[in-house]
Amino acid sequence: MDVSAILEDLNEAQRQAVTTSEQVVRVIAGAGSGKTRVLVRRMQWLMAVNGLSPFALLALTFTNKAAREMKERLEKALSFPLESLWMGTFHSIGHRLLRRYAERMGWSKQFVVMDSQDQLALIKRLMRAQQWDEQVVAAKQMMWLINHFKDQGVRAADVVIGKHRNDVLVQAFYADYEQACRAQGTMDFSELLLLSVELLREHADVRERYQGRFEAILVDEFQDTNALQFQMVALLKSKQAQLFVVGDDDQSIYAWRGAQVENILSLEKHYPQLCSLRLEQNYRSTQTILQAANAVIAQNSQRLGKTLWSAGEVGEKVRIYPAVNEYDEARFVCEEIMRWQRAGGRLDECAILYRSNAQSRVFEEMLVQHQMPYRVYGGLRFFERAEVKDALAYLRLAYFAQDDGALERVINTPARDIGAKTLAKLRELAKERGQSLWQTLNEAQLSKHFSARAVKALQGFISVVMALQEKIALSPSLAEALRYVVYDTGLHAMYDKEGKEEALMRQENLQELISAGEHFDWQAVGAENERLLDFLSFAALDAGEAQAHAGSDAVQMMTLHTAKGLEFDDVFLVGVEEGMFPSYRALESEQKIEEERRLAYVGMTRARRCLTLSFAEMRRFQGKELRPQASRFIYEIPQELTDSVRPMVYAGINKSLIDKRKSSYDERLPYQQGDSVEHAKFGEGCVLALEGDGEHLRVLVNFAQAGEKWLVAAYAKLQKI
């Protein structure tokens, strides 16, 4: 049999993975090592050499795009359609199973799948019907909790009740939600997985039917599987079936949404006969970039281990830019991209990668100033984000209360029990009187037109706006006015009740809006009210700028999580500072630090030709002034692989705290990163960073109430909690 077409253009490690006769195989595929090609060729090999039909194969992916790409490649190579091949995401495979057997689990076969918006709408309807108090748990947070329970395989009846009184309420609501979904025949995405696993576990005939069918199961991005997905694979695999999983433990960056890196790290515990193979030749990056990335990820202890290498050029050294502040950082990046463009490079070959969405604002502002088109990949521009627009609507109301558009946007944000009917009636009254909505609210006798409940809600809104107007009229700066908007209206607190990651992102954006106000204050020359108007105009014009379309020649901007799977010639990894990257939340544990390091590895390996890491020696971020340390990730790169664009003038960086062979723990120091401490004036907080030594030791503490403060340890009298 001639298998040349299957094996051509594969390297030795790829050929070994494609042709292996082992029953259970774990392919540790480094970034840019050709894993998709290996998966496709492996399926070709199983059909051509092992004699398996497409009917006997199951291929599981994490995105529909990946499934389509692999199927198209396979059909092109085989020159015939693969209609009997089951290839798709875990959710789509679960959907196929349940379309046939939903009745076994007490569901109708005609069930409807809800997207996340449909699911949230159902939760809100149930809350209204139960007169649920969203101060206890808001709708979005409830959705996150329900999905989290399901991803862990936990039904409402199995929820562990702790000491918090909300646990009982959440469990009861979850049970009502389950009942409502079943009654109206609607399944959320998490239900597709959970019910499929329960089906396979509880019905032996169904399980055995598919175990008899699938002679080989192939899984892409195995490091991203959660508990349910792992169980689905285990239940579909018979003792005789082949299991071929491809993944990279060094790119496991989704623990916050349930991914368990242990699934790939400890696969031999479940399959003792496991054979591990490594794909280490990289076809994307220069050798210098790969050496730098290898050196960083080598600091992680929980990994299978591999060393990426390239047969291509050595390439330029990794550039390190110590910026004076965040604007200097953005200026440098823009000027470097312009230099790249003048040399003949395309803008869409350049990417700005950041840890937090809120970091995009300064770069957007600088790119607009330099008249460079850009695209925020996988997200909205800063002033287009819903929470930012809500805050600006309050600011507009505080300055000009007759702005009906602003009033309609925030009259029920945060939720105040002002529904669509109440708002429609208010519009009707305003139209009859020829007034603005605000005038009508203040002049109409509300009790004549609205229920007592609606009157109370409307009066609550009036009080919030009037208090805001008074404070802003007396505020000495735009930044202070924005701080009132963000905190006094309840916008910031509103997101405490959402899913954890989304809430933090939105709160960071609101706090960054305050920083934008501070920068505007520094630049402004007019009176405070003119400054406010100028800022609103600036924000509106920025939001009105047409974002570059996908595929156009524009600078690409995105978070590090979004960048996974992409590649660019010139990559700028910005804000590489302790407390920002790794994030201050990651300083709580070594496990979280290791995930942040994997994220750094992902970011570095997006670069094909040039890689720049930058940090600011002083930064205004989320309304606070920081003097951060350069990230440990910078010091983990061997010095001979780096080129500092200018000397690191910030003498405060304490390199002894970032040991390349040890964790950040130093027994000689009175405090460690992540310690909980208490201050007599500022209250409780968490240690983010330390610099200096002896009587000059300084401690950066994030206090729950007072924010971040640099303190001299000798005088602060911090008490460990």
Side-chain angles (χ1 to χ4, degrees):
M1 180 183 295
D2 184 4
V3 294
S4 301
I6 300 175
L7 300 181
E8 66 180 358
D9 65 19
L10 298 181
N11 63 39
E12 184 179 347
Q14 290 172 333
R15 285 197 301 274
Q16 185 181 1
V18 167
T19 63
T20 182
S21 59
E22 298 290 342
Q23 184 187 19
V24 182
V25 180
R26 174 177 60 193
V27 179
I28 306 160
S33 62
K35 70 176 179 65
T36 302
R37 176 185 296 180
V38 166
L39 275 166
V40 171
R41 301 289 178 86
R42 176 64 177 172
M43 284 186 275
Q44 284 182 255
W45 183 269
L46 290 172
M47 287 185 276
V49 178
N50 291 31
L52 300 188
S53 74
F55 182 83
L57 297 180
L58 171 63
L60 293 160
T61 66
F62 270 84
T63 65
N64 290 312
K65 179 183 175 184
R68 285 194 300 269
E69 181 184 346
M70 284 198 286
K71 192 170 185 180
E72 287 168 4
R73 285 200 205 181
L74 198 53
E75 289 180 334
K76 184 178 180 180
L78 297 172
S79 301
F80 61 80
L82 296 168
E83 295 176 358
S84 63
L85 171 66
W86 277 33
M87 177 184 286
T89 64
F90 283 88
H91 292 95
S92 67
I93 297 302
H95 180 262
R96 292 181 75 164
L97 287 170
L98 294 172
R99 277 291 170 220
R100 299 185 182 188
Y101 296 104
E103 290 176 338
R104 294 279 195 101
M105 304 303 291
W107 284 75
S108 166
K109 284 186 179 180
Q110 279 69 50
F111 67 84
V112 175
V113 179
M114 297 185 289
D115 62 21
S116 57
Q117 289 185 335
D118 294 333
Q119 184 186 11
L120 182 61
L122 172 59
I123 288 172
K124 286 181 175 180
R125 285 200 301 274
L126 288 174
M127 285 184 166
R128 284 196 296 270
Q130 298 178 6
Q131 296 186 328
W132 180 271
D133 182 4
E134 287 208 44
Q135 296 301 313
V136 176
V137 178
K140 284 190 176 180
Q141 186 184 20
M142 184 66 78
M143 183 172 75
W144 182 87
L145 286 169
I146 289 172
N147 291 338
H148 177 71
F149 285 136
K150 290 189 178 186
D151 288 343
Q152 298 300 313
V154 177
R155 289 289 184 192
D158 304 318
V159 171
V160 176
I161 303 299
K163 295 180 180 179
H164 202 286
R165 70 180 184 89
N166 290 350
D167 293 346
V168 176
L169 298 174
V170 168
Q171 183 194 39
F173 188 92
Y174 181 13
D176 291 341
Y177 171 82
E178 284 185 317
Q179 186 177 2
C181 287
R182 197 176 288 259
Q184 65 184 31
T186 53
M187 285 192 199
D188 56 52
F189 287 139
S190 296
E191 184 69 26
L192 288 173
L193 285 181
L194 178 52
L195 200 64
S196 298
V197 168
E198 290 173 340
L199 168 71
L200 293 168
R201 187 188 298 133
E202 296 171 14
H203 294 273
D205 61 323
V206 178
R207 181 173 67 251
E208 289 165 5
R209 173 180 177 177
Y210 288 99
Q211 286 182 350
R213 170 178 176 166
F214 298 130
E215 297 179 55
I217 300 174
L218 302 96
V219 188
D220 188 19
E221 303 285 11
F222 194 71
Q223 78 280 352
D224 292 335
T225 53
N226 63 23
L228 277 182
Q229 289 158 342
F230 187 89
Q231 288 178 55
M232 179 183 282
V233 172
L235 287 165
L236 288 169
K237 182 192 176 305
S238 67
K239 290 183 179 179
Q240 298 76 31
Q242 296 185 45
L243 178 61
F244 188 89
V245 306
V246 179
D248 184 2
D249 56 307
D250 289 335
Q251 294 189 72
S252 180
I253 57 174
Y254 298 117
W256 50 274
R257 68 183 190 197
Q260 297 181 346
V261 69
E262 296 80 13
N263 290 347
I264 192 169
L265 290 175
S266 306
L267 192 58
E268 61 270 24
K269 290 182 180 179
H270 303 273
Y271 302 101
Q273 72 274 40
L274 177 70
C275 168
S276 290
L277 303 173
R278 285 170 170 76
L279 303 182
E280 298 178 304
Q281 185 174 356
N282 176 282
Y283 292 92
R284 175 189 301 157
S285 308
T286 65
Q287 183 61 24
T288 298
I289 290 171
L290 295 178
Q291 284 181 291
N294 287 335
V296 171
I297 199 63
Q299 308 305 312
N300 275 4
S301 58
Q302 298 298 311
R303 61 190 298 259
L304 296 168
K306 65 180 178 305
T307 303
L308 292 182
W309 60 276
S310 171
E313 61 179 319
V314 174
E316 300 177 10
K317 290 184 176 182
V318 176
R319 293 182 301 177
I320 308 295
Y321 185 69
V324 175
N325 55 34
E326 69 271 27
Y327 284 91
D328 179 46
E329 180 183 43
R331 175 204 57 77
F332 168 78
V333 169
C334 287
E335 290 178 358
E336 287 299 297
I337 292 174
M338 290 175 70
R339 184 174 64 84
W340 169 276
Q341 187 182 36
R342 286 195 297 269
R346 286 177 56 88
L347 293 179
D348 62 3
E349 294 170 339
C350 301
I352 302 172
L353 310 183
Y354 35 80
R355 178 64 179 86
S356 166
N357 248 316
Q359 290 173 259
S360 75
R361 181 191 64 81
V362 176
F363 289 93
E364 290 182 54
E365 185 179 326
M366 196 64 67
L367 286 163
V368 169
Q369 286 182 19
H370 284 75
Q371 298 183 324
M372 296 169 68
Y374 69 91
R375 178 181 176 225
V376 179
Y377 191 97
L380 296 170
R381 298 165 69 152
F382 183 79
F383 286 108
E384 292 175 335
R385 294 166 192 167
E387 60 276 12
V388 174
K389 294 182 79 170
D390 290 340
L392 292 175
Y394 270 114
L395 191 63
R396 282 158 51 194
L397 266 186
Y399 181 78
F400 186 67
Q402 317 309 318
D403 188 334
D404 284 355
L407 186 145
E408 288 202 29
R409 182 177 183 92
V410 297
I411 193 169
N412 199 42
T413 304
R416 298 185 175 88
D417 286 332
I418 300 175
K421 288 183 179 179
T422 301
L423 186 55
K425 180 64 177 176
L426 182 63
R427 287 196 202 100
E428 184 184 323
L429 285 172
K431 186 176 180 180
E432 288 175 2
R433 294 162 176 255
Q435 296 177 325
S436 69
L437 296 176
W438 179 253
Q439 284 177 302
T440 305
L441 275 175
N442 283 275
E443 295 178 13
Q445 292 182 319
L446 298 180
S447 58
K448 285 187 176 182
H449 306 285
F450 300 97
S451 67
R453 183 177 178 182
V455 169
K456 182 179 179 182
L458 291 170
Q459 288 175 339
F461 174 68
I462 293 169
S463 297
V464 168
V465 175
M466 291 183 70
L468 192 62
Q469 289 172 334
E470 290 177 12
K471 286 188 174 182
I472 288 180
L474 298 171
S475 64
S477 68
L478 174 61
E480 185 170 311
L482 284 166
R483 195 169 282 108
Y484 291 140
V485 165
V486 167
Y487 290 99
D488 288 15
T489 63
L491 284 178
H492 191 275
M494 176 175 77
Y495 294 111
D496 287 335
K497 299 176 179 64
E498 287 204 2
K500 186 176 180 182
E501 287 299 320
E502 183 180 0
L504 290 170
M505 178 190 72
R506 292 186 185 278
Q507 288 175 334
E508 285 175 351
N509 285 332
L510 287 172
Q511 290 163 342
E512 181 60 18
L513 182 63
I514 298 170
S515 290
E518 287 178 335
H519 183 67
F520 216 81
D521 281 329
W522 297 337
Q523 292 183 318
V525 293
E528 197 276 329
N529 64 330
E530 292 176 357
R531 195 178 314 161
L532 189 151
L533 277 176
D534 288 344
F535 182 74
L536 287 170
S537 299
F538 163 75
L541 289 169
D542 187 278
E545 288 275 343
Q547 183 170 185
H549 297 294
S552 60
D553 188 25
V555 178
Q556 306 295 298
M557 297 177 60
M558 67 199 74
T559 65
L560 283 155
H561 283 97
T562 303
K564 188 172 181 289
L566 304 175
E567 56 185 72
F568 307 91
D569 278 352
D570 199 358
V571 168
F572 296 86
L573 214 170
V574 301
V576 190
E577 302 153 11
E578 291 289 298
M580 181 166 288
F581 189 40
S583 72
Y584 71 88
R585 294 185 296 275
L587 300 177
E588 299 170 2
S589 70
E590 192 62 30
Q591 184 179 2
K592 291 182 179 179
I593 288 290
E594 293 212 354
E595 174 143 345
E596 292 285 293
R597 190 174 282 111
R598 292 195 290 268
L599 195 55
Y601 174 81
V602 166
M604 294 171 74
T605 54
R606 299 311 94 196
R608 290 190 287 252
R609 294 173 55 186
C610 302
L611 174 63
T612 302
L613 277 62
S614 63
F615 67 95
E617 294 165 355
M618 191 280 284
R619 179 182 297 275
R620 294 292 314 182
F621 185 64
Q622 299 175 13
K624 302 169 186 174
E625 182 175 300
L626 308 175
R627 292 191 176 275
Q629 295 179 320
S631 171
R632 66 192 71 198
F633 304 148
I634 288 177
Y635 290 112
E636 288 168 357
I637 302 173
Q639 193 171 356
E640 62 270 19
L641 299 177
T642 66
D643 180 20
S644 185
V645 177
R646 69 179 180 83
M648 293 191 192
V649 299
Y650 181 45
I653 295 172
N654 189 341
K655 297 183 182 180
S656 68
L657 294 178
I658 306 170
D659 192 297
K660 294 179 182 178
R661 296 167 299 281
K662 302 176 183 177
S663 72
S664 60
Y665 183 82
D666 187 336
E667 62 182 11
R668 296 170 298 176
L669 297 173
Y671 315 106
Q672 307 295 331
Q673 288 178 340
D675 279 354
S676 294
V677 294
E678 186 171 15
H679 185 271
K681 178 180 178 182
F682 302 126
E684 294 184 8
C686 175
V687 175
L688 300 184
L690 302 98
E691 64 177 39
D693 50 39
E695 62 182 10
H696 301 295
L697 177 67
R698 294 173 295 282
V699 187
L700 176 62
V701 182
N702 182 31
F703 292 102
Q705 301 299 324
E708 293 180 5
K709 303 283 185 183
W710 277 104
L711 304 172
V712 177
Y715 304 103
K717 297 181 180 178
L718 294 170
Q719 298 294 320
K720 284 189 182 181
I721 300 176

